[in-house]
Amino acid sequence: MGLGLIHKLGFFQGQIMIKERSLCRKYYYGASSVPLLYDSDKAVIPIRKSHSCKGRKLYSVVVRVCKSLSWEVAKEITFNRSLKKYGLSHSINAYSMMIHTFAIAGMDMEVYTLLKQMIFDLQKAGVDLLKVTYLNNTTGSTVVADVLIKVFAANKLLDHAIVVINQVKKMGFEPSIYSCNFLLKCLAEASRGENLVTLFETMKNFGPSPDVRTYTIMMHFYCTNHPGQQNVDIKEAYKILKEMWGKHISPSAATYSVWVHGLCRVGCPDVALKFIRKLRYENQPLNSYCYNAIIHGFFAEGEVNKAISIFEEMSNSGITPDICSYSILVDGFCKFESIDRGLCLIQGMQENNIKPTPISYSSILKGLCKIGAAKIANDCFHDLKNSGCKVDQTAYKILITGFCAQGDLSSAHELLEEMINNHLAPDASIYERLIRASCSVGSADTAVKYRNMMVQGDYLPDTVTCNFIVKQYCTDGRVIEALNLIDEMMDQGIVPNLYTYNVVINQLCKDENTEEKEGRVLEALHLIDEMVDQGIIPDLYTYNVVVHQLSKCINAKKALEVITVMLKRDMFPNVIILNTLIDGFIKQSYFKEASMLYRGMLKLEITPNITTYTILIDMLCKRRKVKKAYRRKKVKKAYKLFRKIIREGMNPDNICYTSMIAGLCGIEDVNKACALFRDMQKGELLPTVVTYTCLIDTFCKLGQMDEAKKLLRMMVRRNIYPDVKTYTCLIDKFCKLHRMDEAERLFDRMRKENISPDVITYKIMIKGYEMVGNSDLAYEMTDEMQKVFNIPDESI
């Protein structure tokens, strides 16, 4: 049925305007006088033998309603049933007549119910309700309009309600102040600020004149934070208050309480307090809501003592604190960890026959759990429960969360069972907390048990919750079970995310079983393919983990294949991945490949970082079995690179400095090495034991033992303790100089400092004794070495 027909039908008009010339129209006019002639409850409709009337029974109901004003008769045929049986035009006509009949009789509830039923069914049928709001200039139409505004507004059809108001004004009538206020309230709740202000201005200019309720609604809108809107607009709210005073409209206690709430929301509880004290002095209406807002405001500002004094002032002013007042105080005490005062207040409420609400004792329970006193909270909860307080799901949730946070899973489980026995069904969040807590204490099996309970309760855990179990499985080395869980997740429609796969891939690549290492890494690569198949794009971390393991443990060249796959998937490796690969090449002695990859980075304009340069400098400075001239050439190249990065503003760390110093010491360029050592100290970089050892070793080789001992003393002063290599290079030089007394002192000092000499140190000492001809001490040292390291005689 076209929407234009609804308009032509005269929906909500005082008379029937049916386009079609049907027999029913003739019968209606004939039947309309029947109730005046007959004293029967049933209408008599004349029937022509040669024709049949499709809507005869429907109009019979209409006539009976017109005569009796009976709601029971009106309910005989619902609008939906009428639509199906008699069609749109007959149904609208019939209901329009009944609506106007009830409207003229002042039966607003019946009008509201019929209109609501019609609107719902017409909307369900796909009818554009904006074209169904045509009203005629009749008494019944204005009454219907007021009710229609409420129906539209209550069902969030706010644009339709605004159209009705505009139509009423075009007819020269005013909608009632009650319907306008109701629409204002609905517009405010829907954050329709522009429509709200327009309607308010229209009411001021054309009527109905705003009353105290109107102004209170506007005040509430400006004093409340609305989604998608600005914060509290206290200036506009004050304009509303001034306008009321200017028009001599006395604000109500509700108006003042809204204004006070607004002041407190913008952080002005002191201003709000002065305001209500002034009102109290002028005998203006106040209620507990005004004081509650200020008490809450002072707690929000951390002014606990002021909040308490306002509570006492309210009581002394003859305004009885309500349950909300007590709840605010309890919550405030608990937030500031004054749990004992909160408990006393709960007790005081009970003594005054004010039963604590779930909100009140929830604050106490939260406060106790926050300070780690979940057991005390549990005792308090059961005391309240035994005293007749109604317990709810929230209280159990708070306690279970508290015990989970403390790692007390047994107490949390007891509460879960108690909750179920009390016919309070745990929600998904409770199970999720138990699962996460179980994983945090390292019990994947317990977490799986709660997951199964959750599924049995018709809840599916989300991906994040499942990830906790996957991670715990991987932490326990149970990768196969983690993979099985991922398969189970997908079967249940729970989609794994990037984190899920990264955890498993990381574990596969971290597995210490060297025999299975390659197979594990290949499984990780398979998982990456699975991720891509599911539309989950692996991130750089995912690839970095795999590249790292391939580079470190298997074959760095194979890691290049992963880079190729990344490029095919339009993902460019970052500097971290390339650093990992370069480092892998170097460790596996693929020096040319490392250099080529570095040059490739530069061509692709991937800026190397300090880690890149440290890896390269370390590679160039490494001591390898090459000719001295070649080593010197490489170290000079490293030194040139080192100076370049400093010129470019990079700050080498102590690792980079140590690598460079080690390289310079390796070619016995002690002057440059010492210069870098001094640069480290100026730059407040702490040299490591390796740094000192490299320099000490070089000084020993050059025969500068005073400088070597000076560095040793410097190490000790700076709490950098020499290791076995440091002592060994000194001992070796003293032995070669035949200064065995110095070598012995250092050897004994090592043992006093709990540094165990290694086989090399022993052999150096033995050789030293042999060189000075002390065979007895050489024999004793040999015997000691054999016992310490369990070396058989024939191996020496």
Side-chain angles (χ1 to χ4, degrees), residues 128 154 187 331 357 472 616 664:
D128 185 356
L187 287 168
D331 186 57
T357 63
Q472 191 56 49
L616 291 170
L664 291 167

Side-chain angles (χ1 to χ4, degrees), residues 49 96 98 117 134 143 177 215 244-245 369 395 404 454 577 643 686 702 759:
K49 292 180 181 180
S96 296
M98 288 192 290
Q117 193 179 114
Y134 177 76
V143 177
I177 187 66
Y215 281 102
M244 290 181 77
W245 289 333
C369 290
C404 286
M454 189 176 180
I577 292 176
R643 284 299 173 195
L686 189 65
L702 295 173
V759 173

Side-chain angles (χ1 to χ4, degrees), residues 399-416:
L399 289 170
I400 289 170
T401 303
F403 280 121
C404 286
Q406 291 177 216
D408 189 350
L409 274 175
S410 60
S411 297
H413 185 75
E414 284 177 17
L415 281 166
L416 178 70

Side-chain angles (χ1 to χ4, degrees), residues 8 26 183 269 280 312 346 413 599 718 739:
K8 291 176 183 177
K26 295 178 183 178
L183 177 56
R280 194 177 67 219
E312 293 169 352
I346 291 279
H413 185 75
R599 289 194 292 272
R718 293 181 178 175
R739 291 165 60 178

Side-chain angles (χ1 to χ4, degrees), residues 237-257:
Y238 186 61
K239 284 181 187 177
I240 295 292
L241 196 60
K242 280 181 69 177
E243 190 174 311
M244 290 181 77
W245 289 333
K247 293 187 176 181
H248 304 290
I249 298 173
S250 299
S252 64
T255 317
Y256 286 130
S257 69

Side-chain angles (χ1 to χ4, degrees), residues 352-504:
N352 293 326
N353 294 320
I354 300 174
K355 279 194 174 183
T357 63
I359 294 173
S360 305
Y361 61 71
S362 290
S363 298
I364 292 284
L365 300 179
K366 275 183 188 175
L368 287 166
C369 290
K370 184 181 175 183
I371 61 172
K375 287 189 176 179
I376 297 173
N378 192 31
D379 294 339
C380 175
F381 169 70
H382 285 97
D383 288 343
L384 288 164
K385 183 182 171 185
N386 294 333
S387 67
C389 288
K390 185 181 178 182
V391 298
D392 62 359
Q393 189 189 56
T394 304
Y396 279 105
K397 187 188 294 186
I398 291 166
L399 289 170
I400 289 170
T401 303
F403 280 121
C404 286
Q406 291 177 216
D408 189 350
L409 274 175
S410 60
S411 297
H413 185 75
E414 284 177 17
L415 281 166
L416 178 70
E417 289 184 336
E418 181 184 317
M419 188 179 180
I420 294 168
N421 292 335
N422 289 336
H423 307 292
L424 290 170
D427 63 12
S429 66
I430 291 176
Y431 285 117
E432 286 170 356
R433 291 175 200 279
L434 286 163
I435 290 168
R436 296 179 186 194
S438 300
C439 292
S440 68
V441 297
S443 180
D445 293 329
T446 306
V448 169
K449 181 184 75 174
Y450 286 124
R451 180 180 177 274
N452 294 338
M453 288 175 68
M454 189 176 180
V455 173
Q456 287 169 9
D458 291 329
Y459 292 111
L460 274 179
D462 59 15
T463 305
V464 175
T465 305
C466 290
N467 284 349
F468 275 87
I469 306 175
V470 170
K471 185 180 180 183
Q472 191 56 49
Y473 271 143
C474 290
T475 303
D476 296 343
R478 298 158 67 180
V479 185
I480 302 302
E481 287 166 274
L483 290 168
N484 290 338
L485 180 58
I486 290 174
D487 291 338
E488 193 177 328
M489 286 168 65
M490 290 190 286
D491 290 342
Q492 292 175 337
I494 304 165
V495 181
N497 60 15
L498 184 62
Y499 179 87
T500 321
Y501 285 104
N502 277 351
V503 167
V504 180

Side-chain angles (χ1 to χ4, degrees), residues 11-42:
F11 183 43
F12 303 137
Q13 292 184 32
Q15 58 186 352
I16 308 303
M17 296 172 61
I18 303 178
K19 183 178 179 182
E20 299 93 337
R21 295 185 176 276
S22 67
L23 289 173
C24 291
R25 175 172 178 168
K26 295 178 183 178
Y27 290 149
Y28 169 72
Y29 285 116
S32 62
S33 61
V34 172
L36 303 175
L37 302 173
Y38 293 90
D39 204 18
S40 168
D41 286 338
K42 293 186 177 180

